[in-house]
Amino acid sequence: MGAGGPRRGMGPPDGGWGWAVLGACFVVTGFAYGFPKAVSVFFRALMRDFGAGYSDTAWVSSIMLAMLYGTGPVSSILVTRFGCRPVMLAGGLLASAGMVLASFATRLVELYLTAGVLTGLGLALNFQPSLIMLGLYFERRRPLANGLAAAGSPVFLSALSPLGQQLLEHFGWRGGFLLFGGLLLHCCACGAVMRPPPGPGPPLRGDSAGDRSGDAPGEAEAEASGSGLHLREAPPGGRPRRRLLDVAVCSDRAFVVYAVTKFMMALGLFVPAILLVNYAKDAGVPDTDAAFLLSIVGFVDIVARPACGALAGLAPLRKRVPYLFSLALLANGITDLSSARARSYGALVAFCIAFGLSYGMVGALQFEVLMATVGAPRFPSALGLVLLLEAVAVLIGPPSAGRLVDALKNYEIIFYLAGSEVALAGIFMAVATKCCLRRSKDAPSGPGTEGGASDTEEVEAEGDPEPLSAGAEEASRLEALEVLSPRLGSSEPEVEAEPRLAPEAV
């Protein structure tokens, strides 16, 4: 391991080269969330050159965001098949190529295909693998690592928008797109540092459910001990083949609760930030002061995300992160509801501070909750499916809010609607998680219920900070490493090993 650090047993290193991985994840997250919004500074010039309206031009950012969220399952399949590093390198090249080709566009449809589809797909192929690799490097400090990585979003948004404005003034939109394409090549550098964490040796594949029960390999589908990673039927004398997308994660009650919560949250979470500037201008706030409101949200967000990550890493709160996430959603919804009638500049500033704080908490905790819910082996598939659901919600929520504003000429009802959706998502998350945990706690333990509860449920039900035994946790991590490690350039030959007994049997 590069910059060696103290390791905690045989688990994730929680440091060392993991800090380089965290830095790369910070950059990738910043590009993924900040870049589609920063491109909007070029819209006025695009409208003038192409003779198009704002809604037609805004489809560039919309398509980019739709690709970022909607291609989650595709990214999951590619990561499972090829590993994180090759996928990120290809994604960085695609994102850069999309912006470079967009600088030569002569029609809006060409911008949709280049800056929208290609760049959006490239950002997606960087964003998801970086989060997966971060979960492999951090366990004890994972909430803090997620919070620090999530801080890349407001930092890059605050930096890319002014940079785009300067590039537009000096080089025009074509030169700005070309230079932004070169800037996106940094994603390739981030992908290059995503080497898998060191393990004690080649993972063993023989500890499947079929082997433990006495079945011969290849007679039935097997599930790796403690990992939730499903294997397909193996050919005689061959190795089992892995499912590229583990849709069986949808049978996990805790995952279903999280997915429904994210869908409800995405319907209203982004609406106030999108409408804030126009809302302030309609209230009589000068244009410069209205634009500064988003900067206030960004500055508070930068501080809130790492601070909330550090808070969630404290021992008393680590096992209750889903409830902390619910509290953040509830606070964000109540902020929207209480500020619906805000008209003065001072009231809008207070709203921005409260909104930035709760929004940062949501951003810092959302992926930490998912990691704790499904575990590292199933996280790639779970993240892809959740991002797909979020893409649908993003395509429904903000456009519907814009149509309501055009029809009603009133922003107040939009704040009430968005706040209600986010607050309801927080309440649902808390109540449904409590019900799932209680049902898991009351269920009798035995062969019929083994593997039915998620990691979060097991932790809460048993009161033990370690959801798995040492052997099962290490087996789970080795399975995740085998799936997510790059296949190219491996210096260690794959070694077939004798089937080993599960930790329970030992």
Side-chain angles (χ1 to χ4, degrees), residues 24-250:
C25 191
F26 176 90
V27 174
V28 169
T29 303
F31 275 126
Y33 282 115
F35 197 83
K37 301 169 187 175
V39 172
S40 62
V41 301
F42 299 99
F43 284 175
R44 194 177 299 273
L46 293 174
M47 292 165 59
R48 181 183 64 249
D49 286 4
F50 291 105
Y54 181 83
S55 59
D56 294 332
T57 310
W59 271 104
V60 175
S61 291
S62 299
I63 294 174
M64 198 180 296
L65 285 172
M67 293 299 295
L68 175 64
Y69 290 112
T71 56
V74 176
S75 183
S76 297
I77 291 173
L78 292 176
V79 167
T80 305
R81 177 65 180 86
F82 300 105
C84 290
R85 183 187 291 171
V87 172
M88 291 186 68
L89 291 174
L93 292 176
L94 273 179
S96 176
M99 293 305 295
V100 171
L101 292 175
S103 66
F104 298 97
T106 57
R107 295 180 299 170
L108 272 179
V109 66
E110 295 174 2
L111 284 179
Y112 297 159
L113 295 175
T114 54
V117 175
L118 281 183
T119 301
L121 178 60
L123 292 175
L125 295 182
N126 273 272
F127 176 60
Q128 188 169 333
S130 67
L131 290 177
I132 294 169
M133 192 61 72
L134 189 68
L136 292 180
Y137 267 93
F138 289 91
E139 174 61 34
R140 181 171 55 88
R141 296 174 177 170
R142 193 178 64 200
L144 176 61
N146 275 309
L148 290 172
S153 173
V155 170
F156 270 63
L157 180 59
S158 302
L160 289 176
S161 295
L163 176 62
Q165 186 64 39
Q166 292 297 318
L167 294 178
L168 177 63
E169 293 175 0
H170 289 85
F171 305 103
W173 70 266
R174 293 186 185 275
F177 276 21
L178 186 63
L179 293 173
F180 264 179
L183 194 63
L184 284 173
L185 286 175
H186 286 85
C187 292
C188 294
C190 294
V193 305
M194 295 294 178
R195 70 186 187 194
L204 302 180
R205 296 192 178 192
D207 54 344
S208 64
D211 293 335
R212 291 195 302 268
S213 61
D215 297 334
E219 291 184 0
E221 287 190 345
E223 182 177 356
S225 172
S227 68
L229 190 64
H230 295 273
L231 306 177
R232 287 182 179 177
E233 181 179 346
R239 288 172 174 248
R241 295 169 299 179
R242 303 191 182 280
R243 291 179 180 175
L244 296 179
L245 186 66
D246 184 12
V247 295
V249 71
C250 297

Side-chain angles (χ1 to χ4, degrees), residues 373-398:
T373 298
V374 302
R378 293 192 296 178
F379 181 69
S381 299
L383 180 59
L385 295 171
V386 167
L387 289 178
L388 180 60
L389 284 176
E390 195 169 357
V392 176
V394 168
L395 290 176
I396 293 174

Side-chain angles (χ1 to χ4, degrees), residues 257 261 322-327 329-330 423-438:
V257 169
T261 301
Y323 298 108
L324 190 60
F325 181 57
S326 303
L327 180 63
L329 289 173
L330 185 60
L424 185 61
I427 295 172
F428 172 80
M429 179 73 180
V431 173
T433 300
K434 184 64 177 177
C435 292
C436 286
L437 296 178
R438 182 177 300 169

Side-chain angles (χ1 to χ4, degrees), residues 403-464:
R403 291 190 180 93
L404 284 176
V405 169
D406 293 337
L408 303 176
K409 307 298 181 183
N410 186 358
Y411 287 92
E412 186 176 320
I413 190 172
I414 303 303
F415 278 79
Y416 283 133
L417 184 61
S420 300
E421 290 167 344
V422 178
L424 185 61
I427 295 172
F428 172 80
M429 179 73 180
V431 173
T433 300
K434 184 64 177 177
C435 292
C436 286
L437 296 178
R438 182 177 300 169
R439 186 179 304 172
S440 173
K441 188 184 301 183
D442 295 339
S445 59
T449 60
E450 184 179 355
S454 67
D455 294 346
T456 309
E457 293 171 346
E458 292 172 3
V459 171
E460 192 71 23
E462 299 174 9
D464 187 352

